[in-house]
Every structure is written in C-alpha cells, then in structure tokens.
Amino acid sequence: MLQALRASRPAGGESLSLSASVPRAITPMRHLHHAVVGFVVSLFLVTPAASSDRMVIQEVFVGPPADGTSAPLTADQRAQYVMLRMTSSFQNFVDRASFRVEDADGNLLGAFGSFTASVANAGTFDCAYPNCPAIMLGTQAADNLFTFSFDQDVDGQAGRVALPQAGGRVCFVNYSSVVDCVAWGNFDCTRSGNCALANGPRTGDRSANGCDPDFGTPASPAGLQYGFALARTTFNCLANESSTDFGLAYPRPVNNAGSNNNVDADGDGLIDVLDCEDANTSFRWPVADLQNLTSEPGPPTALAYSQAVASGSGVTYDLVRGTIAHLAGFTDALCLLNNDPTGSFQEANDPLVGEGFYYLVRANSTAACGGTTSYGPGTSPALDAVCP
C-alpha cells in the first residue's frame, strides 16, 4: 500500500513537490490496487502545481489625462493599475506577491501594491502567451474608471506608492525573487549605485524563472503618458528589452475571470466606457487643461502647446497675449488664435523695451468631451470673452 504522501509548497511560490514511497514487494492484489491508486493521486497533484514565476507585466496605466493636470493627488486617488499576463497554465499563485517601484535613478520608492490572496486558475492546460489569463491589480479609482472589478484593490496598503509618471521602473516580485520588470522614461539604476546595469537587476535580486535579467533600454523616453497604457506587445524570456517589448496604447484591462469593458464602437482605439464621443473618432478622452506651454526665442518667437494626445485630433486652442504690466486683471488681453487646431504660433512682434508679453492657452472640445477648459489657475473670467 502507499506508505507516505507528502506535499509541500516552498516559500518562494515555486512548483508543488510530492514524494511517495511504496514497499518493494507487494503481492496481494488489494495491495497492488492501493499502490496504483496512490500513484495516480500523486500524478494528479504534481501536474497543476500553482506558481507565478511565468507571469509577465502586460500593462502599466498611470491615469486619465485629467490626473496630469489636477492638484496633487494621493496614491489612492490616482486611477492606476498594473496588469499581469500568464505565459503558461496554472500561474495563479500570487498570494503576497507585490509590485516593487523605483524612481528614475533606481531608488526604491515602495510597493505599488501586493496581493492578499491567490486568484482562480482560469487558464486552459495548454495556454500560451498572449492567450493566457490576466490578473489585475490597481486602485479603487481605477476600478471606478473602468467600471468592473479588479482582482486586487490596493487602497490603504501599508507602504504603498503611486507609479512615477516621468521615469521609473516597476517589478513583479514573488517573495525574494523578481519575476518581471519594465522601465520607462530616463530610468537608470546605476545613478543610485543599486545596479551594475542601467536597467539590470538590483544588488541582491534573484531571478524567479531564469529569464534575461537585463531589461535593456527603457520604454517611452518621455515617460508614462496620461490616458495611455504602457502595453506589452511581445514576450521572449531570453531577450527582454523594455523599449521594444512595450509601447504606448489605449488601455485594455481584463481581470482573471475575463471580465472587461473593452467595447470600442467607433474603432478609434479608446473603449466606450472612457470615450466621450463613441461615434466620433476625432474625440476620445474628455479634454483636460493643457499640460505644457513652451517658447523658443526668435525672432520670431515660437510657441508650442498641447492637450494630452489621448484626447484626439479634434481639440482646438485659443491663444491670448498681453503685457506683463497688465497681468493683474488681464486688462489688455488680445486674442491671437481662436479655435485653432495647430498647437503652435509664431510671434512676429516684440514687446517694447522694458516690457514683456505673457501668453495663455486653453483647449476647446465638444460639450460631451468637456467643452472649453480654463486658461489656468488664477485667471480672470473676463478672459473667456476675449476669444469667444
């Protein structure tokens, strides 16, 4: 008969191991029957051993365009998520696994969040990337934005931090082992002295799966973009490269059960639950206040400004100029451009000696997409009549 059957799961979340011992000589048929039953049981337990070392980061979402122009938000107020994707079957053991976050210099900021339980084994036995189940972890604000339940909400977890927009790295970590990482912006871990390679492993890191531990050139040199996800397009265990494995795309989150709201009626890439004009491909995310206004000295002086690209091509701009001497009250404001789509202006005039110009820009959209934004904090309502 079967004398011993032992199952153990190592602390690192690795594959389930079993051992069974059977007597050397078993002659009665009933004993043989027991031995066969024991053998079958041991095979059944070994095959679906749950782990998470064959997971990859699929999407990193920093938030909607409005988050980029809002007053400072706490980590829990930001609509952010990280989505994993299995690359083989039975990778659902994520209990206590977490996402480590570093700044652009490789300094450890904390954790974006961690799982408090494993998820269901939702994959088929022979699934392969990218056709295996996903797992979603994010804030309640992101849950609300996409209007379906994630597998793990992270609000209020101890030591939690937001994803850094301009530059940084996030790594999926299972106990003491690193499963997968992606970096963006100007990330370089050697600047902090924590890594031998710019996007390589930190001192003391251990690979959970033997995949290439150097993640190469960071993705998205300008950083994470509000309204877009940093989305994986390919996976090769032996050749990781953030810049070629990932690209910016509109978010498409899916939870472990396959639930999502990813219908896109007008085919413009942005799903309907986020799209302010489902039947108009020129407008996508609701318009938000401008994120930048830059100038290059002339002559002529060149101005450039932009709304979040995620809002679509239909956004237009109003540009106002005045003299700094009349900045209080904006009493000499002049409309230079009204409903202009270009996002740039060449200033041919120079201010008088001892004076200077100020410039203000606002974005315009359809009523459904936010209408007209403001010229910025502290501006006068009287400006709204300057460029009708």
Side-chain angles (χ1 to χ4, degrees):
M1 67 175 62
L2 185 66
Q3 290 185 322
L5 178 64
R6 182 179 73 256
S8 64
R9 183 174 59 212
E14 293 147 3
S15 298
L16 191 65
S17 64
L18 297 167
S19 65
S21 61
V22 180
R24 294 182 180 177
I26 302 177
T27 52
M29 188 59 97
R30 59 188 181 88
H31 288 175
L32 179 61
H33 172 72
H34 292 167
V36 171
V37 170
F39 180 69
V40 172
V41 169
S42 93
L43 283 180
F44 175 77
L45 289 174
V46 169
T47 301
S51 186
S52 62
D53 58 0
R54 308 224 179 261
M55 305 276 281
V56 292
I57 295 172
Q58 182 66 30
E59 288 189 8
V60 178
F61 181 70
V62 72
D67 280 8
T69 59
S70 300
L73 301 173
T74 67
D76 287 349
Q77 288 173 332
R78 295 187 176 277
Q80 298 185 338
Y81 70 74
V82 180
M83 181 169 72
L84 294 168
R85 174 115 16 219
M86 302 179 191
T87 64
S88 64
S89 310
F90 308 115
Q91 295 294 297
N92 57 307
F93 186 74
V94 293
D95 185 17
R96 291 177 286 175
S98 63
F99 290 92
R100 186 180 72 194
V101 181
E102 300 163 70
D103 67 13
D105 295 332
N107 295 303
L108 186 61
L109 296 178
F112 176 68
S114 59
F115 291 96
T116 58
S118 292
V119 298
N121 178 26
T124 59
F125 179 77
D126 57 348
C127 76
Y129 182 87
N131 299 313
C132 294
I135 304 178
M136 288 291 306
L137 178 145
T139 62
Q140 183 62 53
D143 265 29
N144 297 340
L145 181 66
F146 292 94
T147 65
F148 74 96
S149 296
F150 292 177
D151 298 297
Q152 177 72 60
D153 286 332
V154 297
D155 292 35
Q157 290 187 355
R160 211 184 78 70
V161 297
L163 297 167
Q165 181 268 330
R169 180 167 71 171
V170 62
C171 294
F172 178 52
V173 181
N174 193 351
Y175 298 88
S176 60
S177 300
V178 176
V179 180
D180 190 39
C181 297
V182 61
W184 57 88
N186 64 338
F187 178 82
D188 185 343
C189 190
T190 63
R191 290 195 292 261
S192 63
N194 289 312
C195 306
L197 300 171
N199 192 12
R202 293 173 65 88
T203 302
D205 275 357
R206 182 170 69 90
S207 174
N209 48 31
C211 291
D212 176 15
D214 178 12
F215 298 91
T217 305
S220 188
L224 298 177
Q225 301 297 301
Y226 290 102
F228 289 98
L230 188 62
R232 179 180 288 277
T233 57
T234 186
F235 167 66
N236 183 344
C237 175
L238 300 180
N240 286 313
E241 188 78 17
S242 292
S243 61
T244 56
D245 292 356
F246 286 82
L248 293 174
Y250 285 117
R252 293 295 178 97
V254 180
N255 69 15
N256 181 243
S259 299
N260 65 83
N261 279 326
N262 291 338
V263 175
D264 178 18
D266 58 7
D268 62 3
L270 188 64
I271 57 179
D272 292 353
V273 71
L274 307 176
D275 198 332
C276 56
E277 286 277 10
D278 293 344
N280 188 337
T281 59
S282 295
F283 296 97
R284 299 177 187 179
W285 281 96
V287 68
D289 288 337
L290 293 177
Q291 297 182 18
N292 55 72
L293 170 59
T294 61
S295 65
E296 294 291 337
T301 299
L303 302 176
Y305 37 88
S306 66
Q307 167 63 204
V309 176
S311 294
S313 60
V315 178
T316 61
Y317 305 94
D318 299 334
L319 175 64
V320 168
R321 185 191 71 200
T323 60
I324 293 176
H326 295 85
L327 184 60
F330 310 102
T331 54
D332 66 346
L334 173 69
C335 183
L336 299 178
L337 294 175
N338 185 218
N339 289 322
D340 182 80
T342 59
S344 63
F345 178 73
Q346 299 286 326
E347 175 60 89
N349 300 305
D350 289 326
L352 298 176
V353 175
E355 294 186 356
F357 290 152
Y358 69 82
Y359 298 90
L360 296 169
V361 187
R362 68 180 178 183
N364 305 309
S365 188
T366 65
C369 291
T372 298
T373 67
S374 72
Y375 285 102
T379 54
S380 169
L383 284 171
D384 293 340
V386 174
C387 289

